[in-house]
Amino acid sequence: MLNGPLLVTQRLILRPPAPEDFDAFAAMCTEEETMRFIGGACARAAAWRQWCLIAGAWHIRGFSMFSVIERSTGEWIGRVGPWEPEGWPAPEVGYGLSARFAGKGYALEAAIAACDFAVEFLKWPQLMHSIDVDNIRSQALAKRLGATNSGPTRLPAPFEDARVDAWVQGAEDWRIKRNEFQP
């Protein structure tokens, strides 16, 4: 049962999390390098709590991270989407893909769809990505999306010691940048 929107791109499907996605999510949560900047690698039980947090936000907030599904295989490849946990510095579009799907342009493709959703459906006046100061790959994606580094921001506990910058752009700037991605 689909409990939210379905976004379809050239190679991907973005939809709210489903029970059958959890095993792949839990596997991603064990990837040290993948999880380095998004909460740290964790065991299956901790991954379950994160999974329920993501899924529950759809019910509480009306939006959350999407499961990203590769259309050609039906495989779960990551989670990307609008996100605003309590105490977060601003609503953000976050992204994280399993290591075996990195470097294929999927993060950009999914982030474009998620940014469109945030601006056009959720009516966000601004997009933000909170990015660790050492996360060069995520910074490069934010730049490609048109965001600029507005400097340090603070995340709530248990992430209050993380060194993160807010990468931002206004909704109108996104609409202009979005035109560059049209085929």
Side-chain angles (χ1 to χ4, degrees):
M1 180 168 72
L2 187 64
N3 61 351
L6 178 74
L7 309 179
V8 179
T9 70
Q10 181 179 353
R11 300 179 298 162
L12 305 171
I13 296 170
L14 284 73
R15 60 160 170 71
E20 63 268 21
D21 303 335
F22 177 67
D23 287 338
F25 176 77
M28 183 181 90
C29 286
T30 67
E31 298 172 0
E32 293 287 336
E33 189 57 32
T34 299
M35 299 302 293
R36 179 177 171 205
F37 299 115
I38 53 175
C42 64
R44 187 175 175 90
W48 175 254
R49 290 186 290 279
Q50 288 181 34
W51 189 246
C52 289
L53 175 74
I54 291 168
W58 277 103
H59 177 71
I60 301 299
R61 295 255 192 222
F63 61 88
S64 185
M65 295 278 182
F66 291 98
S67 278
V68 181
I69 310 300
E70 187 179 46
R71 287 179 62 183
S72 64
T73 64
E75 284 189 77
W76 185 94
I77 67 169
R79 85 314 177 259
V80 174
W83 185 237
E84 189 183 14
E86 181 61 31
W88 223 244
E92 81 164 310
V93 172
Y95 32 84
L97 299 183
S98 182
R100 55 186 265 249
F101 297 100
K104 298 180 180 188
Y106 288 150
L108 176 64
E109 189 173 330
I112 290 168
C115 288
D116 279 346
F117 178 77
V119 167
E120 303 305 339
F121 183 78
L122 298 176
K123 305 297 184 197
W124 287 2
Q126 173 180 286
L127 296 171
M128 191 270 291
H129 316 282
S130 56
I131 303 174
D132 190 285
V133 298
D134 295 325
N135 191 344
I136 304 305
R137 291 182 75 182
S138 188
Q139 292 169 21
L141 179 54
K143 286 179 192 175
R144 185 117 187 256
L145 292 168
T148 57
N149 187 343
S150 69
T153 191
R154 256 185 102 84
L155 301 178
F159 307 110
E160 68 271 16
D161 294 330
R163 294 177 29 237
V164 296
D165 290 332
W167 289 72
V168 298
Q169 69 191 119
E172 200 50 46
D173 292 329
W174 167 249
R175 289 183 184 102
I176 293 166
K177 181 67 177 180
R178 176 63 175 89
N179 290 330
E180 293 178 23
F181 300 115
Q182 296 295 336

